[in-house]
Amino acid sequence: MRFREHQEAAQTTTRRLLLLFAGVLVLLVLAVNGVLALIYRFTFPWIPGYPRFFFETNTALVLLFVLGGCWFEMLRLRAGGVHVAQLAGGRGLREPHGQPQDLYEKRLLNVVDEVAIACNVKPPQVFVLPREDAINAFAAGWDLDDAVIAVTRGALERLTRDELQGVVAHEFSHLVHGDTRLNMRLVGLVWGLQMVYNFGHSLVEPDEVGRRSPGLLFGLGLMAVGSLGWIAGRLLKAAVSRQREFLADASAVKYTRSSTGIGGALRKIADQAWRRQDGWHNAHAESLSHLFFVSRLRWAWFATHPPLAERIRRIYGYPAGPLPARVLPAEDDAAPDTQPMLPALAFAAVPAGDARAASAPPAAAAAG
């Protein structure tokens, strides 16, 4: 795999998808104007033309709902990455949010510090999700100053040090390339597109005494158009997220100079997925799914992550099967035989041959 070319292709595709997302908003405005014009003509056939500023008012209201919904959702996330980590049930490993409690958590702090040096950025806040046995992680925050990296307890216990470095390096890529800010903005835009549907639904809902609103027909029209906008927004958000995941995988190999670390982590996740051991206990897991290292959503069109099998194939250069995701003994990073990550360098992209030489291709294919 030519990682530098892959990174450039992913960035180009992301820009195109963001332009398409903006196009969805334009099409939504046109669709709302068209539907409301038809409804008005059907409701008042005896009145010639349309009221003054009819289309201008419709356009302004759609933009108000979309941009207002976007602003409201981002306002909820204004506290930054720490708020998102706590929403996911995370516990901090640095002051003032907490301290590491065992060797697994101490190793995670060391790995984060090492990868931060490799990326030439300051270490973010680190959180662990203590109730989650599934191997996963996420990065969140508006910028590096309020960034966090959160890792599940399952990842700490089931990944080797190299595999944990690969996962952490993947999340650092999201921070370094501004993906976390992009993800928050995309969440806001999708929420805004949903507001058009919600407004239409409010017009359809009966009041306390069971009377329907006189704007019932308009409400049904807005619900129809708003649902299309919501679906289109989710599709584009998923497409943007998928491309950023490929970029982050390639960057993880670049930062760690190893394909077996992140590759092994993905293969263990494939094992958990095959055994249906990738469940979540947090009620907000689904709404935050696009932030995670892997997502459980398996409907291809709405999936925010590429299939596991495809990610593994791109990393190794060939299909590779699952690895057993067993609990491993904790490693003491203070022990003299500990092998830390290589010193910080201006890491170059890994040549294609390095990935192929890492291991021989297993016979079984990883589950997606």
Side-chain angles (χ1 to χ4, degrees), residues 50-66:
Y50 297 95
R52 189 180 182 185
F53 301 122
F54 177 82
F55 296 104
E56 292 84 350
T57 302
N58 295 337
T59 300
L61 288 176
V62 171
L63 294 177
L64 177 63
F65 276 106
V66 172

Side-chain angles (χ1 to χ4, degrees), residues 66-144:
V66 172
L67 298 179
C70 174
W71 174 82
F72 177 78
E73 184 66 12
M74 289 192 293
L75 190 64
R76 293 175 57 192
L77 299 173
R78 67 187 182 279
V82 171
H83 172 73
V84 176
Q86 292 173 342
L87 192 67
R91 174 173 55 81
L93 301 187
R94 297 192 198 274
E95 295 290 353
H97 304 290
Q99 293 180 342
Q101 297 183 354
D102 56 25
L103 293 179
Y104 290 111
E105 296 180 358
K106 291 179 180 178
R107 182 184 66 170
L108 173 60
L109 284 177
N110 292 339
V111 167
V112 170
D113 289 342
E114 291 164 6
V115 179
I117 294 173
C119 298
N120 196 27
V121 297
K122 72 175 185 179
Q125 289 291 326
V126 182
F127 282 73
V128 63
L129 308 180
R131 298 183 59 209
E132 308 299 342
D133 192 52
I135 299 172
N136 222 325
F138 70 84
W142 289 104
D143 50 43
L144 291 173

Side-chain angles (χ1 to χ4, degrees), residues 205-212:
E205 282 290 292
D207 58 18
E208 293 81 358
V209 296
R211 293 175 300 184
R212 295 284 183 180

